[in-house]
């Protein structure tokens, strides 16, 4: 969670808790944060990360989970592990993947008349070299 989000939520009267794999999380020392929990890495151990979040959510009686960054993919991919009462402020996993697929979004935009930059889909090293030569 970003410092600004933590501060805004605190000002609005919410109890804010932060978790991270790193003890050096920049939001941790904020007066807006009531508590900090270490978790496994959302990127190296996604299932363990979400299991740890589920424990934290139960222990701290958290109602809303606000993912701060790309950890949202791990959270939504393993959302079934979370307590049923918690609201995750993010779209479902399939919709996240759809929105994160830049090539697909470019094609959708192009199909509705939005001018998009020249884009090449590269699936191999040879295609990368050919694309680089083509682009100059």
């Amino acid at each position: 969670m970003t410092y600004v989000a933590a501060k805004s939520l605190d000002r609005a009267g919410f109890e804010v808790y932060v978790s991270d794999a790193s003890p050096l999380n920049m939001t941790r020392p904020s007066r807006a944060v009531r508590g900090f929990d270490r978790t496994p890495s959302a990127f190296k151990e996604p299932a363990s990360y979400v299991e740890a979040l589920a424990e934290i959510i139960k222990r701290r009686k958290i109602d809303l989970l606000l993912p701060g960054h790309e950890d949202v993919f791990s959270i939504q991919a393993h959302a079934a592990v979370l307590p049923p009462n918690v609201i995750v402020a993010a779209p479902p996993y399939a919709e996240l993947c759809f929105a994160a697929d830049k090539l697909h979004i470019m094609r959708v935009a192009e199909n509705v008349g939005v001018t998009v930059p020249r884009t090449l889909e590269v699936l191999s090293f040879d295609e990368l070299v050919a694309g680089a030569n083509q682009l100059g």
Side-chain angles (χ1 to χ4, degrees), residues 56-72:
I56 295 164
I57 288 165
K58 289 174 193 170
R59 179 170 38 86
R60 294 199 183 270
K61 298 178 174 75
I62 292 171
D63 301 315
L64 174 68
L65 177 58
L66 180 61
H69 301 285
E70 287 83 4
D71 59 329
V72 68

Side-chain angles (χ1 to χ4, degrees), residues 3 5-11 14-17 27 29-35:
Y3 173 77
K7 195 170 177 180
S8 295
L9 289 167
D10 178 62
R11 268 198 233 128
F14 294 93
E15 290 183 19
V16 178
Y17 299 94
T27 307
S30 169
R31 285 183 291 227
V33 174
R34 300 221 183 158

